[in-house]
């Protein structure tokens, strides 16, 4: 009788772990450090040890565990292998096979952004829906596309890599991916700072942003105070993201679009700027697509990972 | 024992019908007129009569038929219903239920562009692959996205409606869909004529296109003859479509992109203009995505429709 499952979210500095019931109730959450030394060879053994220790602590037998889901910052192919994961110093790693050997449990691996999307669909902002586009606005722009409750992982592990679509011809400095003018360069936390700097340099117009450390948070705080320059920054951000989302919607046509990541802490006002532009450019049948904010924050990864094995 | 299936492709003027073995061999193909009079009330009865007559003619019993797949020019929801299909003068029609009642056979309905994509995946240019983006360049721009051999129909029946993504801010006349600057306005057969007229008006530069009736065919014929102005038109077409496809690939990350429709008769040279721009803008992991021309022509719809019931 399968009563439990584990959800693991491997990040560059720490690994988030969760023990769940198969109904999706979180029974325990904890973290262990990510040891990236020696090409990350300790990461999976550390994860396995953490799981086995938790099972012992809670008197859980292997027969009671449906499996272990694990999200990693890199592409995962259909065989549960990662060709390369830069942040973990990994070359080719057979995650599913290796972790199964180490734990004796069934393992399912996925890309972290896709897994987080699955978490939001299971127990977060998109709960109850079957299809979604999730956009994670953090240092970068991540994405996850889910159709009929299945993640679109992609033929090259690049499904939902929506941070790297081209949206601006005028950008002359390269994105982390090597291309120029990616959505990530104008709609991430860093991208919002870029837009704010551009607006500040364009004029001498007074703004509460002048002479301060600028972040996505200070920009949206200023927007809430009615700062005209900050509002222009938010308008540009919303135009880039809303227009891009209107294109993604014509491809995948989801029930709901979920906005998450650190930038989404700005709250509902963020959605206003995005939705307005989305509606302007979206295909008729998609114009009323629902937008919601993500709800699980940093826990989306462990929820989604757990869901993968159910 | 199921040995046969029918594939039906309903167009605005005629209905293409196909009788297939369950392995995908076409045994018979024929057409009947589409009677759109009286809100298209005769269409499904005519289709049913055609199927039943063919079964009688070939001595095929209902037990031997896996079912009837039918593609229609409109969105089809999860219940096999069409909310509206303008070209057929249909309001709300329960295709699957109605045609099942009329034939006594299992029926599966889908949007015609999606169904054509499925046909190319089954027996056409993308045979043997599991995921694809199909672009149909005809009077309009249609699309179909397939992941793990399943069509992405979309929450609002708008999955793969890639003809109506916004690609050009400068266009001031509306698209058929009501928006401005859609891909269809610059990359369809009509769109290519638009681009050619623009280039012809911009200068007095000599071109074999001057003083002639212009079509997508005359443009690409001129391209093959080295006409500089026509090549500029093809470059602009390729930039719009290649860039848009790079965005779609970051969403769905298919194994292969298939280019079909009347415009694709221009042949491999068409792909050159598209692929060059696709490679420039695509996310690293997707840059080498394969491009092929569609192979089934007008038969893609009946093949894909038949595949739906298998």
């Amino acid at each position: 009788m399968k009563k439990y499952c584990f959800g693991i979210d491997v990040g560059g500095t720490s690994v988030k772990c969760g023990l769940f019931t198969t109904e999706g109730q979180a029974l325990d959450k904890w973290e262990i450090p990510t040891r990236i030394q020696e090409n990350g060879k300790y990461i999976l053994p550390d994860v396995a040890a953490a799981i086995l220790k938790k099972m012992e602590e809670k008197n859980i037998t292997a027969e009671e565990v449906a499996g272990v889901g694990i999200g990693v910052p890199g592409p995962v192919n259909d065989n549960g292998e990662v060709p390369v994961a830069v942040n973990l110093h990994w070359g080719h790693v057979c995650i599913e096979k290796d972790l199964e050997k180490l734990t004796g449990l069934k393992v399912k691996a996925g890309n972290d952004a896709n897994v987080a999307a699955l978490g939001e669909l299971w127990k977060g902002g998109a709960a109850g829906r079957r299809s979604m586009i999730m956009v994670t606005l953090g240092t970068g722009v991540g994405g996850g596309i889910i159709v009929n409750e299945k993640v679109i992982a992609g033929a090259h592990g690049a499904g939902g890599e929506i941070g790297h679509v081209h949206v601006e011809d005028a950008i002359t400095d390269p994105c982390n991916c090597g291309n120029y003018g990616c959505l990530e360069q104008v709609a991430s936390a860093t991208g919002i700072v870029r837009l704010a700097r551009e607006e500040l340099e364009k004029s001498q117009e007074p703004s509460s942003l002048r002479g301060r450390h600028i972040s996505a948070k200070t920009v949206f705080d200023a927007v809430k105070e009615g700062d005209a320059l900050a509002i222009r920054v938010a308008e540009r951000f919303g135009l880039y993201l809303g227009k891009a989302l209107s294109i993604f919607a014509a491809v995948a046509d989801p029930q709901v679009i979920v906005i998450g990541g650190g930038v989404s802490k700005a709250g509902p006002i963020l959605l206003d700027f995005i939705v307005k532009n989305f509606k302007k450019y979206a295909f008729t049948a998609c114009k009323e697509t629902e937008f919601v904010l993500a709800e699980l924050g940093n826990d989306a990864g462990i929820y989604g990972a757990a869901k993968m094995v159910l």
Side-chain angles (χ1 to χ4, degrees), chain A:
Chain A
M1 172 62 180
K2 305 299 183 192
K3 290 198 285 192
Y4 308 101
C5 56
F6 287 92
I8 310 292
D9 183 15
V10 183
T13 53
S14 70
V15 179
K16 293 188 187 64
C17 309
L19 169 64
F20 297 84
T21 66
T22 49
E23 280 77 41
Q25 195 196 338
L27 300 173
D28 203 351
K29 293 191 288 188
W30 71 103
E31 291 190 18
I32 59 173
T34 308
R35 289 201 284 158
I36 54 175
Q37 298 90 332
E38 299 179 54
N39 294 326
K41 66 186 263 197
Y42 302 112
I43 297 175
L44 292 182
D46 285 354
V47 167
I51 290 170
L52 295 174
K53 192 174 149 209
K54 187 61 64 181
M55 286 168 66
E56 197 183 330
E57 180 191 320
K58 304 265 185 190
N59 280 317
I60 296 172
T61 65
E63 289 66 41
E64 292 173 310
V65 179
V68 178
I70 180 166
V72 296
V76 178
N77 68 21
D78 286 346
N79 303 318
E81 301 163 0
V82 173
V84 64
V86 182
N87 294 341
L88 305 181
H89 293 199
W90 275 0
H92 191 278
V93 174
C94 304
I95 317 184
E96 292 185 3
K97 224 180 81 213
D98 292 356
L99 194 57
E100 276 177 3
K101 214 176 286 176
L102 290 163
T103 59
L105 301 168
K106 184 180 119 189
V107 175
K108 197 92 194 68
N111 167 268
D112 56 0
N114 291 339
V115 167
L118 197 57
E120 288 290 340
L121 191 85
W122 192 31
K123 295 290 171 184
R129 314 317 195 291
R130 295 179 51 81
S131 66
M132 72 184 286
I133 293 176
M134 167 129 184
V135 187
T136 305
L137 304 171
T139 314
V141 171
I145 319 275
I146 296 180
V147 171
N148 285 332
E149 297 185 350
K150 300 269 180 229
V151 164
I152 298 187
H156 313 90
E161 276 291 355
I162 57 182
H164 300 289
V165 302
H166 181 84
V167 297
E168 179 54 82
D169 289 337
I171 290 180
T172 53
D173 59 306
C175 178
N176 286 330
C177 75
N179 284 350
Y180 295 79
C182 288
L183 181 61
E184 178 160 305
Q185 292 183 283
V186 291
S188 62
T190 340
I192 292 168
V193 172
R194 166 200 291 267
L195 299 180
R197 292 221 174 101
E198 284 178 9
E199 288 299 322
L200 287 167
E201 280 167 22
K202 260 189 221 166
S203 73
Q204 297 300 317
E205 181 182 335
S207 164
S208 63
L209 295 175
R210 290 205 185 273
R212 291 178 58 184
H213 170 76
I214 299 171
S215 67
K217 184 178 184 322
T218 56
V219 169
F220 276 96
D221 285 348
V223 167
K224 289 171 194 168
E225 288 157 11
D227 186 283
L229 188 142
I231 291 171
R232 278 211 307 283
V233 172
E235 293 280 5
R236 285 183 61 195
F237 156 85
L239 176 58
Y240 283 121
L241 186 53
K243 200 196 268 192
L245 283 167
S246 78
I247 298 180
F248 308 156
V251 176
D253 186 18
Q255 285 177 295
V256 59
I257 294 173
V258 181
I259 310 288
V263 175
S264 72
K265 288 181 188 153
I269 196 169
L270 185 80
L271 296 187
D272 297 344
F273 289 98
I274 302 168
V275 174
K276 179 171 58 177
N277 288 288
F278 176 86
K279 275 188 197 289
K280 179 174 173 193
Y281 293 106
F283 179 58
T284 324
C286 307
K287 278 192 199 292
E288 300 305 321
T289 302
E290 188 186 6
F291 276 74
V292 300
L293 292 169
E295 289 178 3
L296 300 177
N298 291 331
D299 287 346
I302 55 173
Y303 275 91
K307 177 72 171 98
M308 277 197 296
V309 289
L310 296 177

